[in-house]
């Protein structure tokens, strides 16, 4: 029977290690752009823990778990180098959550032993004792798995902005709670070890209340970790709202500039209209005096002036015309071919300000997206089918887009905190009109589709 006892104990330990590795992979996967990194992290964690388990002499469990989590962090950082501060926080969190789930599971397992001992199982045959041990060990692994999965689920659910960078100051703030819990963990381990050395007995066998105090501390610690995550996400949400408001203020400033340009254009048109009579008289005199070459030169100059004043955009709205004209000028200045077949849906259907928010952000993103392309090109079109008004912008794109949970691409810029709000503004306007946006990549092109439901 000794062989069976050893096999059961080894199986329980291996199952616990496999369970922790799986939960670690499950926890970090939503935070990583490279999803394979989560699989490799879980695999390396399992391999490290198994090596630590089988290498004699027996290594302290606290050190073994720390080594496994450290190995997982190294793998995650090697395969997905962005946002290493967040990875440190995740590793600290899974380490402490595993300790909390272990405390709950071990308490319930010992309670099960107490129930079986009430029926004098220790006086039964050895195979009966072995069956009880196997059953309670299986319950321990299952309870530990369910508790850890529940804790991780709650933390992941509370952690909304998974793809946003965590700064060093934010990491210090988050780790202040985790380090306090870790200090308690070390204290409980220290007290248990000292009691064992002094009395040659495990403290929980003499003082059962030790387990209850420990579990209560662990549950309070979990609540503290969860609240720190919730608070951190509220801070993130507040900062995000402030940056969105800043973007909106900037867009309003752009709108004022466009309106000023429209007023200037209409002033030029009124001036040209006022002078049109003089132009007609001048041309008439040149024709009557039979000076065709002078008349032709005069017509060319007049045509050029008319073209500069009226512009080459004809969307049906002067503000939109100014935006398109300015965007064409900016794009061509950067060597980008800009093509637009855009038509304003009508003042009764859509506010010109809302459309300017969409166009400014869409074209700005498209111009930035063309960087690094061999043949940069932007194509902007709009069309209407009954109540659905569609805007599609296609631009050259040399990289690969990675979409986060909300369907928006993860920015590749170093100052990611200050980018990505253009698409959020576009989506907000689209949702105002009961629509949404769609982003896809095809044949080296970035395609943004915007749907708005108009009356």
């Amino acid at each position: 029977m000794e062989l069976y006892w050893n096999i059961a104990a080894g199986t329980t330990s291996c199952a616990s290690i496999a369970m922790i590795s799986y939960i670690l992979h499950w926890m970090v996967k939503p935070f990583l752009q490279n999803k394979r990194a989560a699989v490799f992290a879980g695999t390396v964690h399992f391999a490290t823990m198994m090596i630590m388990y089988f290498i004699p002499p027996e290594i302290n469990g606290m050190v073994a778990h720390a080594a496994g989590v450290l190995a997982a962090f190294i793998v995650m950082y090697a395969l997905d180098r962005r946002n290493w501060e967040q990875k440190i926080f995740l590793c600290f969190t899974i380490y402490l959550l595993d300790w909390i789930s272990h405390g709950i599971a071990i308490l319930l397992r010992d309670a099960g032993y107490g129930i079986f001992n009430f029926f004098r199982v220790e006086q039964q045959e050895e195979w009966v004792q072995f069956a009880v041990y196997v059953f309670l060990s299986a319950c321990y692994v299952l309870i530990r798995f369910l508790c850890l999965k529940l804790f991780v689920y709650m933390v992941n659910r509370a952690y909304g902005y998974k793809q946003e960078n965590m700064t060093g100051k934010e990491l210090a703030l988050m780790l202040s709670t985790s380090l306090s819990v870790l200090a308690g963990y070390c204290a409980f381990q220290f007290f248990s070890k000292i009691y064992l050395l002094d009395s040659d007995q495990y403290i929980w066998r003499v003082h059962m209340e030790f387990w209850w105090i420990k579990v209560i501390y662990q549950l309070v610690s979990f609540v503290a970790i969860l609240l720190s995550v919730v608070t951190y996400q509220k801070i993130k949400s507040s900062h995000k709202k402030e940056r969105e408001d800043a973007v909106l203020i900037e867009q309003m400033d752009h709108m004022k500039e466009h309106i000023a340009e429209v007023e200037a254009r209409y002033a030029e048109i009124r001036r040209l209209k006022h002078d049109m009579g003089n132009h007609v008289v001048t041309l008439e005199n040149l024709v009557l005096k039979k000076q065709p070459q002078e008349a032709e030169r005069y017509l060319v100059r007049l045509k050029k002036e008319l073209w500069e004043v009226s512009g080459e955009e004809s969307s049906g709205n002067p503000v939109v015309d100014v935006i398109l004209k300015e965007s064409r000028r900016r794009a061509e200045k950067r060597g980008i071919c800009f093509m637009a077949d855009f038509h304003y849906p009508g003042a009764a259907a859509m506010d010109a300000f809302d459309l300017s928010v969409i166009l400014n952000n869409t074209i700005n993103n498209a111009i930035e997206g063309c960087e690094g392309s061999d043949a940069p090109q932007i194509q902007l079109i709009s069309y209407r089918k009954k109540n659905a008004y569609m805007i599609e912008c296609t631009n050259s794109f040399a990289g690969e887009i990675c979409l986060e949970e909300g369907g928006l691409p993860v920015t590749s810029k170093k100052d990611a905190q200050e980018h990505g709000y253009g698409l959020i503004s576009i989506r907000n306007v689209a949702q105002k009109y009961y629509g949404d946006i769609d982003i896809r990549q095809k044949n080296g092109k970035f395609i943004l589709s915007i749907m708005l439901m108009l009356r």
Side-chain angles (χ1 to χ4, degrees), residues 369-374 395-401 441 444-446:
C370 286
E371 294 180 1
S373 300
D374 295 332
N395 63 271
S396 306
F397 189 69
E400 288 289 333
I401 62 171
Q441 186 175 12
K445 301 287 185 181
F446 181 92

Side-chain angles (χ1 to χ4, degrees), residues 43-56:
T43 304
V44 170
H45 176 272
F46 176 76
T48 303
M49 291 290 292
M50 292 299 293
I51 292 172
M52 302 290 281
Y53 176 75
F54 284 108
I55 289 181

Side-chain angles (χ1 to χ4, degrees), residues 37 178 222 254 262 288 299 314 324 336 338 344-346 415 425 448:
S178 299
F222 169 69
H254 285 315
V262 170
L288 291 175
L299 279 172
S314 57
L324 294 177
I336 301 172
F338 186 91
Y344 184 64
D415 53 341
S425 297
L448 172 62

Side-chain angles (χ1 to χ4, degrees), residues 43-81:
T43 304
V44 170
H45 176 272
F46 176 76
T48 303
M49 291 290 292
M50 292 299 293
I51 292 172
M52 302 290 281
Y53 176 75
F54 284 108
I55 289 181
E58 184 178 355
I59 299 175
N60 180 276
M62 184 176 178
V63 176
H65 283 287
V69 171
L70 177 61
F73 168 77
I74 293 172
V75 170
M76 284 191 291
Y77 181 71
L79 297 178
D80 191 347
R81 291 182 177 272

Side-chain angles (χ1 to χ4, degrees), residues 355-418:
L355 190 55
S356 74
V357 170
I358 291 177
L359 288 178
N360 276 314
N361 286 295
T362 298
I363 297 172
N364 287 342
N365 289 341
I367 291 175
E368 290 184 4
C370 286
E371 294 180 1
S373 300
D374 295 332
Q377 184 180 37
I378 297 174
Q379 183 178 17
L380 180 69
I381 63 171
S382 69
Y383 55 91
R384 185 169 179 174
K385 291 184 177 180
K386 296 184 179 179
N387 291 343
Y389 180 60
M390 298 296 301
I391 301 173
E392 291 186 3
C393 182
T394 305
N395 63 271
S396 306
F397 189 69
E400 288 289 333
I401 62 171
C402 178
L403 300 181
E404 58 185 32
E405 290 183 352
L408 298 178
V410 179
T411 180
S412 59
K413 296 183 179 294
K414 294 181 179 180
D415 53 341
Q417 299 279 15
E418 304 301 327

Side-chain angles (χ1 to χ4, degrees), residues 246-418:
V247 170
L248 183 59
I249 292 172
E250 183 181 354
Q251 291 168 349
M252 292 179 68
D253 291 338
H254 285 315
M255 187 66 173
K256 292 178 181 178
E257 292 176 4
H258 295 326
I259 292 174
E261 290 181 19
V262 170
E263 291 176 348
R265 178 186 293 185
Y266 278 145
E268 287 292 322
I269 291 174
R270 286 195 298 269
R271 179 189 62 77
L272 191 62
K273 182 179 179 182
H274 178 269
D275 295 338
M276 190 58 67
N278 295 331
H279 293 309
V280 170
V281 172
T282 301
L283 283 171
E284 183 180 16
N285 290 332
L286 290 173
V287 171
L288 291 175
K289 292 180 180 180
K290 297 181 180 182
Q291 296 179 344
Q293 293 180 349
E294 291 294 329
E296 184 178 353
R297 282 196 292 268
Y298 194 90
L299 279 172
V300 169
R301 184 176 177 182
L302 180 60
K303 182 179 178 182
K304 182 180 179 182
E305 187 173 353
L306 284 170
W307 185 264
E308 290 176 352
V309 172
S310 62
E312 53 188 308
E313 314 298 340
S314 57
S315 67
N317 180 271
V319 174
V320 175
D321 286 346
V322 169
I323 295 173
L324 294 177
K325 183 178 180 181
E326 176 63 18
S327 299
R328 183 185 299 277
R329 184 189 64 78
R330 288 172 50 215
E332 292 177 349
K333 187 176 180 180
R334 297 192 182 193
I336 301 172
C337 178
F338 186 91
M339 297 177 290
D341 182 13
F342 195 90
H343 304 283
Y344 184 64
M350 187 176 184
D351 193 321
F353 177 79
D354 292 332
L355 190 55
S356 74
V357 170
I358 291 177
L359 288 178
N360 276 314
N361 286 295
T362 298
I363 297 172
N364 287 342
N365 289 341
I367 291 175
E368 290 184 4
C370 286
E371 294 180 1
S373 300
D374 295 332
Q377 184 180 37
I378 297 174
Q379 183 178 17
L380 180 69
I381 63 171
S382 69
Y383 55 91
R384 185 169 179 174
K385 291 184 177 180
K386 296 184 179 179
N387 291 343
Y389 180 60
M390 298 296 301
I391 301 173
E392 291 186 3
C393 182
T394 305
N395 63 271
S396 306
F397 189 69
E400 288 289 333
I401 62 171
C402 178
L403 300 181
E404 58 185 32
E405 290 183 352
L408 298 178
V410 179
T411 180
S412 59
K413 296 183 179 294
K414 294 181 179 180
D415 53 341
Q417 299 279 15
E418 304 301 327

